[in-house]
Amino acid sequence: MYAQLVKSEASAEDPIRLAEFQARIDRGEKIEPKDWMPAGYRKTLIRQIGQHAHSEIVGQLPEGNWITRAPTLERKANLLAKVQDEAGHGLYLYCAAETLGVSRDELFEMLHNGKMKYSSIFNYPTLTWADMGAVGWLVDGAAIMNQVPLQRTSYGPYARAMVRICKEESFHQRQGYHLLLHMMKGSEAQQRMCQDALNRMWFPALMMFGPSDKDSVHSAQSMAWKIKMNTNDELRQKFVDETVRQAEFLGLQIPDDALRWNESTGHYDFSEPDWDEFHDVISGNGPCNHERLEARKSAWNDGAWVREARMAHAMKNSERRLAAAE
Amino acid sequence: MATSGITRSATVSETAVFEFLLRQGDNALVLGHRLSEWCGVGPALEEDIALANTALDLIGQAKMWLESAVGEIDDSRSANDLAYLRDAWDFRNLLLVEVPNGDFGQTLLREFFFDAFQLPWLNALSQSSNQRIADIAAKAFKEASYHLERSAETVIALGDGTEQSHQRMSRALDYLWPYTGEMFVDDAIDTHIESVGIAPLPSSMRQAWNQTVDSVLSQAQLARPQSTFAHSGGRTGFRHTEHLGHLLAQMQVLQRSYPGATW
Amino acid sequence: MAEDTSSPAAGNEWPLWEIFIRGQHGMSHRHVGSLHATDAEHAIKNARDVYTRRNEGVSIWVVPASQVSASSPSDKGPMFDPARDKVYRHPTFYELPDEAGKM
């Protein structure tokens, strides 16, 4: 399986170079921007890092939805700082992608015209304040599970971006959980919001790890290249195992009747998410696909005059400096 | 002049410090809120992040001012109660900070006008006879210095940049200019505050503000409007704009909908 | 619609800058990442806002990414291997008796 995929992705390339390249990765060496790399490796990385970056900046929107309604000055500052971090993470990732020879503007264009995707979780709405807790706890929790191993990924700039992101992101999941803990000690209405948030977010959170391994096309090659460090199902299982305890501690009910501890596997059994829904959301029919993409596009288009003006001003300044020097 | 319910029967000298602190806190709160509306939709990632930093500074400042305000009147309310449970007429912010953001250029021009006032103002407050006020001002002064650097530089770039950006900045200037005058209007509270050495008169900031603004506008190729007309009513609470009610309806929705809940 | 307004900017993207920051403790400036900015001043401000949000720095250097000259990966052998056998540059090369004391 793995060898066949290598062949199909990189058939046009010199087999000796390919073998040398793979050997470097197997030795744990980092691949750096100017190093030779197979075209398939470059292409896959651009796709993966680009989608990761898009997910960060589209991910600002569902939480940004509540910044102006945050209920205390402290929560407002926490949430704003967190959503700001996501812009930062998007920025680091776009820069990592740019080392592969694609520009940030090109990546934005591919986001806007639908050629590139972002994580499907951000196509779900945030309907109550408890969603700010659930997003932090579940969505950031799932993201961290994905990102921690990526700190060891084979591509140097990507690995370094992930180190920085993981360091910064450690507060995100905690602030979400903290928020829910507090609300669960509150009124009946507040507790109801929390349960409602979990009910809506649980399966979309499980979908974040991607399709089941048996249906995931790119897994094997990406794992050989150490672009992907764990399979989708491994991470999903790890996520469920950790999250169940946390839900119990909060006093929340995970909306899955089939969820139970399995003594023989040492893991929780759980229901698969509805993969039809997953494919619907991926292909544009999620509850908020339209809103999210439109919001990104109008931010980009409305900001065009600012970007152009800043650039024009810098050019004028440098001309003025030259003229003054003459 | 209108006063809020709690201050109706009190004399100026009794309530002046509280009112003064509300003016500082509400400016920071409302402007911080306005800037936070940009988070996630700025014109470039770098600008988005920078604006959120300014918003975070202002929200932090608001918290400090409002905490010292409740300390001043020795009442059981918290800074959050002041932010989330007062009605528009009890707010004491300038009209300048409550009007909508408009485009990015208008947002930054408003920020610049405010920063150009705050810098000399906070500098003066850091010498206040009231130690708590002096401490808050000293911290906020450092933040305001960077805010001014950034907003001034942006205004210059956008005014000078392209034909289109120049036009947009000229329009923003015409719109915002009449809201700048309110910063310099002294009233009975200001006179009292000045007499006890807490702060100088706002009108005494005019010269420094003029210098900064004239210099930046000229670098931005923007003509300073001739009009001296000034809207007012925000600092006194007598007559806010329609916009503040909408801002508060959004900001206060959870605290108002679930009385007594903590978050 | 998106294409019309974004195309002029696409050819006019803000240049990329490499950012170096000196941390709190007097260490050398260290490469922390990159960002986009129109000129050096703008790059310094952006670096302050992007890369020192958690009080990471006391000094910032910015360098246009296009101005960085790098060694070529194919020269890696000749560039770095010759240093490999110069073990006498490292203190552990010199074995001294314990009696000589700490050195």
Side-chain angles (χ1 to χ4, degrees), chain B residues 195-217:
Chain B
S195 72
V196 293
I198 290 178
L201 290 172
S203 57
S204 68
M205 299 293 116
R206 186 50 117 164
Q207 206 190 347
W209 188 84
N210 278 347
Q211 264 177 12
T212 311
V213 166
D214 287 345
S215 155
V216 168
L217 289 185

Side-chain angles (χ1 to χ4, degrees), chain B residues 214-245:
Chain B
D214 287 345
S215 155
V216 168
L217 289 185
S218 93
Q219 292 175 73
Q221 323 286 341
L222 292 166
R224 179 183 167 127
Q226 294 303 306
S227 166
T228 54
F229 174 77
H231 293 293
S232 64
R235 283 184 91 230
T236 60
F238 174 64
R239 188 173 61 207
H240 280 280
T241 66
E242 291 179 347
H243 308 292
L244 182 63

Side-chain angles (χ1 to χ4, degrees), chain A residues 57 60-61 64 66-81 83-84 86-91 94-95 104 108 129-130 179 182-183 186-187 189-190 193 295-296 298-300 302-310 312-314 316-317 320, chain B residues 29 32-33 36-37 39-53 55-56 59 62-63 66-67 79-80 83-84 103-106 150 153-154 156-158 160-162 164-166 168-169 219 221 247 250-255 258 261-263:
Chain A
I57 63 160
Q60 289 186 274
L61 301 170
W66 280 90
I67 290 174
T68 55
R69 290 179 289 173
T72 68
L73 296 171
E74 297 78 11
R75 294 285 184 209
K76 193 184 188 70
N78 296 350
L79 183 62
L80 179 56
V83 181
Q84 181 202 35
E86 281 152 14
H89 298 172
L91 187 150
Y94 284 119
C95 288
R104 189 162 90 186
F108 279 142
W129 176 249
L179 192 159
H182 198 89
M183 283 180 77
S187 69
Q190 286 175 300
M193 280 184 220
R296 278 314 317 164
S298 37
W300 181 248
D302 293 349
W305 74 273
V306 176
R307 295 189 301 276
E308 283 159 27
R310 268 200 172 285
H313 169 69
K316 283 186 188 174
N317 262 352
R320 282 177 202 132
Chain B
L29 174 62
H33 182 95
S36 78
E37 294 173 6
C39 184
V41 293
L45 284 173
E46 289 81 0
E47 304 289 346
D48 203 305
I49 292 166
L51 217 43
N53 277 339
L56 283 167
I59 293 165
K63 193 167 170 267
L66 294 179
E67 271 165 3
N80 278 317
Y84 289 91
D103 65 18
F104 183 78
Q106 185 178 312
R150 179 128 200 151
E153 179 258 348
T154 309
I156 292 169
L158 298 181
D160 177 53
T162 63
Q164 189 200 11
S165 74
H166 182 79
R168 280 176 180 262
M169 293 309 280
Q219 292 175 73
Q221 323 286 341
L247 183 151
Q250 197 172 65
M251 184 172 96
Q252 299 179 336
V253 62
L254 284 168
Q255 291 280 1
Y258 302 93
T262 65
W263 304 89

Side-chain angles (χ1 to χ4, degrees), chain A residues 34 85 98 168 301 307, chain C residues 5 13-14 36 53-54 73:
Chain A
K34 291 184 120 193
D85 269 353
E98 283 174 89
E168 296 187 355
N301 292 336
R307 295 189 301 276
Chain C
T5 42
E13 191 169 359
W14 294 353
H36 289 271
R53 299 202 300 289
R54 285 169 171 80

